[in-house]
Amino acid sequence: TLRTEERQRLARERREEREKQHAAKETQILEKERKAKLQYEKQLEERQRKLKEQKQKEEQRRAAVEEKRKQKIEEEKERYEAVMHRTLERNQRLETRQKRWSWGGSVTPESESKTALLHTASKQSTSIANLKQTEAVMNKRLSSSAALLNASDRTRRTQLSPLDSSVISRLLAPTQASLARSKSAATLSAD
């Protein structure tokens, strides 16, 4: 009986030892799983945080690009409006100059009506032959004055700098335009 009790006690102790070891292993496994789960959650949070930061940076970059694009469009619009404004001013100045160089000097409604009356009277009083003769004389004068202008213009341009010559040619443009207009007016009168 003593041996049997001794065996039973030893068997019980071994069993308890195995159970303790098993419990310790289980605890270690659970601890490892808990740590792995925590690490996974931490990595997941880190990844989400990085994705969020990346998304914010991308949105900021996109907003900056959009802002730059809008600014560029605005600058282009302002530049275009300035060019249009300058063009309109230049056209108005040219129209004013052309009116000054027209037949009756500066054109007002009153001078226009006087000019129209004078033209009507001259049409009625002058014969077609006289008008053709006047047109021929005028054509000669216009062509000779245009040739003189071109010749003097060429000689002056050779002595001037490119900037000065371009300014002079721009200043001469209304004069040549008014000469052409005078020629067309003479042709209309003859017709």
Side-chain angles (χ1 to χ4, degrees), residues 149-165:
L149 274 172
N150 287 336
S152 64
D153 187 31
R154 265 188 240 109
T155 53
R156 255 187 260 124
R157 281 187 192 165
T158 55
Q159 297 166 358
L160 297 173
S161 69
L163 180 67
D164 292 341
S165 65

Side-chain angles (χ1 to χ4, degrees), residues 30-158:
L30 287 171
E31 187 63 27
K32 278 182 183 178
E33 284 178 359
R34 189 182 65 81
K35 282 181 180 177
K37 191 177 178 183
L38 282 172
Q39 192 175 358
Y40 173 75
E41 287 174 355
K42 196 175 180 182
Q43 285 176 348
L44 197 65
E45 283 177 9
E46 187 69 22
R47 197 176 297 140
Q48 285 176 346
R49 187 182 61 79
K50 282 182 179 177
L51 281 170
K52 195 175 180 182
E53 283 178 2
Q54 192 176 352
K55 194 174 179 182
Q56 283 177 344
K57 282 179 184 176
E58 187 64 30
E59 284 175 2
Q60 286 172 352
R61 190 186 64 78
R62 202 175 294 131
V65 167
E66 184 66 24
E67 186 63 33
K68 196 176 268 188
R69 190 182 67 79
K70 282 181 183 175
Q71 192 176 358
K72 197 172 184 181
I73 288 171
E74 193 63 33
E75 286 172 2
E76 287 291 326
K77 188 178 174 186
E78 286 174 6
R79 198 176 299 128
Y80 175 75
E81 285 174 357
V83 167
M84 289 299 292
H85 184 69
R86 282 197 302 270
T87 306
L88 285 172
E89 281 181 352
R90 195 179 302 129
N91 286 345
Q92 285 174 352
R93 283 198 302 268
L94 282 173
E95 282 176 16
T96 307
R97 275 193 211 140
Q98 287 171 353
K99 283 178 184 176
R100 261 192 251 138
W101 287 95
S102 66
W103 283 97
S106 63
V107 178
T108 59
E110 190 178 306
S111 64
E112 277 182 358
S113 61
K114 283 179 184 175
T115 309
L117 285 171
L118 285 171
H119 279 298
T120 311
S122 67
K123 271 189 206 173
Q124 291 171 354
S125 64
T126 312
S127 66
I128 293 173
N130 286 342
L131 282 174
K132 284 186 178 176
Q133 186 181 359
T134 308
E135 182 188 351
V137 170
M138 224 169 160
N139 279 340
K140 281 182 186 174
R141 282 184 185 169
L142 286 172
S143 61
S144 64
S145 58
L148 280 172
L149 274 172
N150 287 336
S152 64
D153 187 31
R154 265 188 240 109
T155 53
R156 255 187 260 124
R157 281 187 192 165
T158 55

Side-chain angles (χ1 to χ4, degrees), residues 19-35:
E19 283 175 2
K20 278 181 186 177
Q21 285 176 355
H22 185 67
K25 277 184 182 178
E26 239 178 79
T27 308
Q28 282 179 346
I29 290 169
L30 287 171
E31 187 63 27
K32 278 182 183 178
E33 284 178 359
R34 189 182 65 81
K35 282 181 180 177

